[in-house]
């Protein structure tokens, strides 16, 4: 879907912003009815906040922008498969749809290590779709880590 690619490119811009600040380059964009509601860039190092993942930043900003913690009808675009913390927050925020770029075989909670979105006990289902601009998203992460590892 071309709109998925468009919004993922915006999330990649947020990821690049995080990378310029020496944060792991992950970006997120929250959209409702084709309009960007909020954006987030990874910033746990700079904020000394272990919860400051791009998804959490975007969800918080989205709640403020929409005046509610229930983000029904929204789509969250993220450059990397969410971790368990972020996946749980996405479910609790009642996000309708999650679109992510690169899979995270070490900590991904949308199917790589666990699929939190498929747990039957949860009272909300999020439509998830991975692999949008996967190569670009993965290349940004690889470049970041290659520059830091001997």
């Amino acid at each position: 879907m071309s709109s998925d690619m468009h919004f993922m490119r915006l999330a990649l811009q947020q990821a690049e912003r995080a990378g310029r600040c020496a944060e792991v380059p992950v970006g997120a964009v929250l959209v409702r009815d084709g309009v960007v509601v909020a954006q987030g860039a990874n910033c746990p190092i700079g904020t000394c906040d272990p919860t400051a993942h791009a998804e959490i930043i975007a969800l918080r900003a989205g709640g403020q922008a929409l005046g509610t913690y229930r983000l029904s009808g929204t789509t969250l675009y993220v450059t990397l498969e969410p971790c368990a913390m972020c996946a749980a927050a996405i479910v609790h925020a009642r996000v309708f749809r999650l679109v992510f770029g690169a899979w995270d075989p070490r900590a991904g909670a949308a199917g790589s290590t666990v699929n939190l979105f498929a747990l039957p006990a949860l009272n909300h289902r999020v439509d998830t779709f991975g692999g949008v601009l996967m190569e670009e998203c993965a290349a940004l992460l690889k470049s970041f880590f290659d520059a830091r590892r001997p």
Side-chain angles (χ1 to χ4, degrees), residues 13-149:
Q13 290 175 2
Q14 290 298 308
E16 290 166 353
R17 185 174 144 233
R20 287 191 300 273
C21 296
E23 301 278 359
V24 174
V26 178
V29 173
L30 185 68
V31 175
R32 180 187 269 173
D33 298 326
V35 176
V36 174
V37 173
Q39 301 179 73
N42 229 26
C43 60
I45 297 167
T47 60
C48 299
D49 179 356
T51 69
H53 291 193
E55 300 95 322
I56 302 297
I57 301 299
L59 292 174
R60 287 177 180 159
Q64 291 298 307
L66 297 173
T68 180
Y69 74 96
R70 290 202 170 172
L71 306 176
S72 302
T74 60
T75 298
L76 183 64
Y77 294 87
V78 188
T79 58
L80 181 65
E81 178 184 6
C83 69
M85 173 186 70
C86 292
I90 291 164
V91 169
H92 287 293
R94 307 296 198 275
V95 169
F96 174 72
R97 186 168 177 251
L98 166 69
V99 177
F100 63 90
W103 294 87
D104 185 353
R106 292 185 177 180
S112 287
T113 62
V114 66
N115 189 348
L116 191 123
F117 298 102
L119 294 177
L122 298 179
N123 65 348
H124 176 71
R125 297 285 171 258
V126 178
D127 180 24
T128 61
F129 185 74
V132 174
L133 298 181
M134 178 173 57
E135 293 80 13
E136 293 93 327
C137 294
L140 184 60
L141 287 158
K142 182 178 179 347
S143 172
F144 177 83
F145 287 113
D146 283 353
R148 282 155 182 76
R149 292 182 180 145

